[in-house]
Amino acid sequence: MKIGETILKLREAKKMSQEEFAQHYHVTRQTISNWEKEKNYPDLQTLVQISNESGISLDSMLKDNFSLVQEIDKKVRHLKIFKIGTTIVLAIVLLISSYIGIQKGRQNHLIRTYEDTLEEMGFEKEGNNYYLTDSDFKYEVYIFDRPDIWELNQKMSDSEKFIIATLLENNPDLKDNLDVTIRKTNDFITLYLSKGTHTINDTSPQIREYSLDKNGQIKHKEKMDTVDYEIYDQLKDEIANGVKKLNEMYSTLYE
């Protein structure tokens, strides 16, 4: 007997309308109509329930309904594919989550080690930066940005590896309105002289920069104007000491 006939006879035997029968199987009335006309078929769980209530074995129903067998087989194959796809997606999500967790752990370790080293060197945190002051200079180190989470090797970028030293204003050789700053990077040591001389239309200090060697000596003295050279000559001992300390700090912190 066709499955549609089986469902129709079972409904009539129970003296139920399609609406009542639909409520019994938790589907819509239109679904019952489609089952009876064999436009589509019940799922396997519902078939088992129909088999039990009609007294017709599930084996008999399947033998007489090749289209139903094909439909069930198709659903089973789709279910297997869905399960495999779901497993793959879950595995990918798990891998990505694990990777992000590991990378964040590496980031935290990198930053914690960096900050611990700064504190061991005597730096103190003020806002987002670290500072250390000695008799001549105030040293400043910036807190670097977290590396990109997708960078496999979690490390600071070279552009973030630098230390700045600013000559203290109480230095007796420091003239009014003059800032003396040294910036140490991996490749360069630069001296900045910022003088408070202005033009009428320019209210910002004039900033001049000069390259220093590893000992704090000006590399190209001939490029300095007379005033800047006099400033450098007066402060060369302090600058040399500042560069020496910058080299030591840089080596401890970044190398």
Side-chain angles (χ1 to χ4, degrees):
M1 184 182 295
K2 294 292 185 180
I3 187 66
E5 294 178 38
T6 301
I7 293 172
L8 176 60
K9 287 184 178 294
L10 178 61
R11 180 172 66 79
E12 290 175 344
K14 289 179 174 290
K15 297 181 179 180
M16 289 182 173
S17 65
Q18 286 186 339
E19 187 70 36
E20 293 170 331
F21 202 69
Q23 291 178 1
H24 180 69
Y25 287 101
H26 307 291
V27 294
T28 65
R29 186 203 63 77
Q30 185 60 47
T31 298
I32 299 299
S33 176
N34 289 338
W35 287 354
E36 292 178 353
K37 295 176 182 178
E38 296 192 9
K39 290 184 178 180
N40 54 41
Y41 301 98
D43 58 32
L44 192 56
Q45 184 177 354
T46 304
L47 281 174
V48 172
Q49 186 177 353
I50 292 172
S51 172
N52 292 334
E53 294 180 0
S54 66
I56 301 174
S57 69
L58 185 61
D59 182 61
S60 297
M61 282 196 292
L62 294 178
K63 283 182 179 179
D64 293 335
N65 293 273
F66 181 70
S67 297
L68 175 59
V69 173
Q70 287 184 314
E71 182 73 16
I72 293 174
D73 182 62
K74 182 179 178 181
K75 288 181 179 179
V76 169
R77 281 188 280 110
H78 285 175
L79 181 60
K80 286 182 179 179
I81 293 172
F82 175 77
K83 286 183 176 179
I84 292 172
T86 302
T87 301
I88 292 173
V89 170
L90 289 175
I92 292 173
V93 170
L94 181 60
L95 285 173
I96 292 175
S97 299
S98 299
Y99 174 83
I100 291 175
I102 291 171
Q103 291 297 81
K104 285 187 175 180
R106 288 175 175 173
Q107 284 184 353
N108 292 335
H109 176 72
L110 177 66
I111 293 172
R112 187 166 55 250
T113 301
Y114 181 73
E115 293 182 341
D116 287 347
T117 302
L118 283 170
E119 291 176 359
E120 289 173 2
M121 293 167 65
F123 281 84
E124 294 182 357
K125 190 172 184 179
E126 296 180 23
N128 292 325
N129 300 330
Y130 278 84
Y131 297 91
L132 171 65
T133 302
D134 63 13
S135 58
D136 293 317
F137 286 92
K138 183 175 184 178
Y139 301 89
E140 181 177 2
V141 176
Y142 295 155
I143 299 300
F144 63 92
D145 295 329
R146 286 177 176 267
D148 190 308
I149 198 72
W150 301 111
E151 289 287 341
L152 186 60
N153 188 8
Q154 293 290 297
K155 63 179 182 179
M156 292 178 62
S157 65
D158 290 338
S159 63
E160 294 177 305
K161 296 178 181 179
F162 63 88
I163 307 176
I164 294 174
T166 302
L167 193 65
L168 298 177
E169 294 180 357
N170 60 7
N171 189 292
D173 293 325
L174 197 62
K175 296 181 179 180
D176 293 339
N177 297 324
L178 177 67
D179 289 329
V180 178
T181 303
I182 307 170
R183 188 175 189 268
K184 161 69 179 173
T185 67
N186 184 49
D187 300 315
F188 302 101
I189 305 173
T190 307
L191 172 67
Y192 297 91
L193 300 178
S194 174
K195 296 182 293 185
T197 54
H198 315 284
T199 64
I200 293 176
N201 297 320
D202 180 15
T203 58
S204 62
Q206 295 178 352
I207 300 176
R208 299 189 182 185
E209 58 182 81
Y210 302 98
S211 295
L212 300 175
D213 63 21
K214 64 180 180 179
N215 297 314
Q217 304 297 311
I218 291 289
K219 286 186 175 181
H220 305 287
K221 294 180 181 179
E222 69 279 3
K223 293 184 178 181
M224 298 186 78
D225 63 26
T226 303
V227 175
D228 283 351
Y229 184 78
E230 289 177 357
I231 294 171
Y232 165 75
D233 193 52
Q234 288 179 332
L235 299 171
K236 61 183 178 183
D237 290 338
E238 290 91 335
I239 291 172
N241 289 333
V243 169
K244 180 181 179 181
K245 192 158 187 177
L246 281 174
N247 288 333
E248 293 172 353
M249 289 178 175
Y250 193 93
S251 178
T252 300
L253 194 56
Y254 301 122
E255 295 178 355

